[in-house]
Amino acid sequence: ASSEATALVIGDSGTGKELFAKAIHELSPRKNGPLVVVNCGALPEPLLESEIFGARRGAYTGAVENRPGRIEMARGGTLFLDEIGDLPLPLQVKLLRVLENHEFQPLGAPTPEKADVRFIAATHRNLEAMVAAGEFRRDLYFRINVVSLHIPPLRERTEDIPLLVDIFLERFNNAYKKNIRGFSPEALQLLLDHDFPGNVRELLNLVEQTVILCKHKEISPECFPESFVAAVNANKRRTPRAGHAGVSKEMLEDTLEKYKGNKSKVARALGVDRTTLWRWMKRLDVK
């Protein structure tokens, strides 16, 4: 946060990349400046170009006045380029020039202008694979990947779920004028057993649903939507758990292969912590 380096935040959809960008901005020397967001996948290329770089009067039909772009609006602050993997190749060239020369040229402007902005980019896509496929410029990738931050999906950090639930519960208690104390142990276990393909965003929406549906002081499993409970039960059937009785060498090897050696995923799938998993691997001589 304390540097001016361009940062790249990588994570699945719903993991909270924009919140990370906001945290970096608010901890930086530019915190008193604006944090301006551009979603690179939300607009077609012609509109996206004027949105980022701005346009001067007469630059195109309908441009009857000067229009500041997001780079200009972020002057003295931070520009957050969300889903940069969706940025069209022609605009990648223009963005590279901004990063290299700290200058940008609005559409229709006769001369370039100074860019006083710190860049943070985010993506859920594999930019290295896109570079190899010719879908993303290699030079731009190196320019934005000065500091790389990877946000793991929620299924790999289930220890965060109780904390996030408390934060969201307080938010929705205030929003819906309720006084729900918390989740019952059974309800919390359902949350911990879910793999959350939608990540933190899915958890946020689920807590809001349960707060709306709950008529008591504590959220119980009956407050969850039926589709959520069915998804948790289906996931349990797909993933055999070892519990505390131990695990066979075959089961351990199969689970490691299924999750491509990811110890966090394997431990969660087997219902144990990583320390127990390492102990089992050592005892059973599993590499």
Side-chain angles (χ1 to χ4, degrees), residues 114-164:
K114 279 292 180 185
D116 176 17
V117 62
R118 192 255 181 100
F119 287 92
I120 300 176
T123 185
H124 73 282
R125 304 178 70 176
N126 185 334
L127 293 186
E128 289 186 5
M130 292 181 68
V131 167
E135 298 169 351
F136 198 87
R137 290 185 64 95
R138 186 179 303 274
D139 44 11
L140 178 60
Y141 173 66
F142 289 132
R143 288 297 301 175
I144 63 174
N145 194 28
V146 179
V147 177
S148 181
L149 300 172
H150 180 262
I151 310 175
L154 191 55
R155 63 182 175 273
E156 292 181 16
R157 49 187 176 107
T158 51
E159 66 275 9
D160 287 352
I161 289 177
L163 175 62
L164 290 167

Side-chain angles (χ1 to χ4, degrees), residues 76-184:
T78 304
L79 182 64
F80 176 51
L81 297 165
D82 197 10
E83 298 306 346
I84 196 168
D86 295 333
L87 192 68
L89 282 167
L91 295 189
Q92 291 180 25
V93 178
K94 293 194 172 188
L95 179 61
L96 179 63
R97 289 175 186 156
V98 180
L99 289 167
E100 288 184 335
N101 304 324
H102 303 288
E103 289 182 342
F104 69 101
Q105 191 157 352
L107 288 171
T111 56
E113 300 180 13
K114 279 292 180 185
D116 176 17
V117 62
R118 192 255 181 100
F119 287 92
I120 300 176
T123 185
H124 73 282
R125 304 178 70 176
N126 185 334
L127 293 186
E128 289 186 5
M130 292 181 68
V131 167
E135 298 169 351
F136 198 87
R137 290 185 64 95
R138 186 179 303 274
D139 44 11
L140 178 60
Y141 173 66
F142 289 132
R143 288 297 301 175
I144 63 174
N145 194 28
V146 179
V147 177
S148 181
L149 300 172
H150 180 262
I151 310 175
L154 191 55
R155 63 182 175 273
E156 292 181 16
R157 49 187 176 107
T158 51
E159 66 275 9
D160 287 352
I161 289 177
L163 175 62
L164 290 167
V165 164
D166 287 344
I167 294 170
F168 297 156
L169 186 58
E170 181 179 2
R171 178 190 300 184
F172 294 124
N173 268 334
N174 293 331
Y176 295 108
K177 304 295 186 293
K178 291 205 171 187
N179 187 29
I180 298 171
R181 292 191 298 267
F183 284 68
S184 71

Side-chain angles (χ1 to χ4, degrees), residues 42-59:
L43 294 170
E45 185 179 327
L47 290 177
L48 186 59
E49 182 173 4
S50 63
E51 193 72 23
I52 295 175
F53 298 97
R56 296 295 175 255
R57 187 174 63 181

Side-chain angles (χ1 to χ4, degrees), residues 234-287:
N235 187 51
K236 281 183 177 179
R237 287 194 295 272
R238 287 195 304 270
T239 310
R241 289 178 176 264
H244 297 287
V247 63
S248 68
K249 183 173 184 178
E250 182 183 10
M251 182 179 177
L252 186 53
E253 289 175 336
D254 287 347
T255 312
L256 281 162
E257 182 179 356
K258 177 181 177 181
Y259 292 103
K260 297 180 173 61
N262 187 307
K263 305 300 190 300
S264 295
K265 290 183 179 181
V266 171
R268 181 177 180 275
L270 296 175
V272 297
D273 58 34
R274 283 174 62 101
T275 305
T276 301
L277 174 62
W278 282 112
R279 191 168 65 248
W280 285 350
M281 291 176 66
K282 185 176 181 180
R283 174 167 56 84
L284 296 171
D285 192 26
V286 173
K287 304 299 183 184

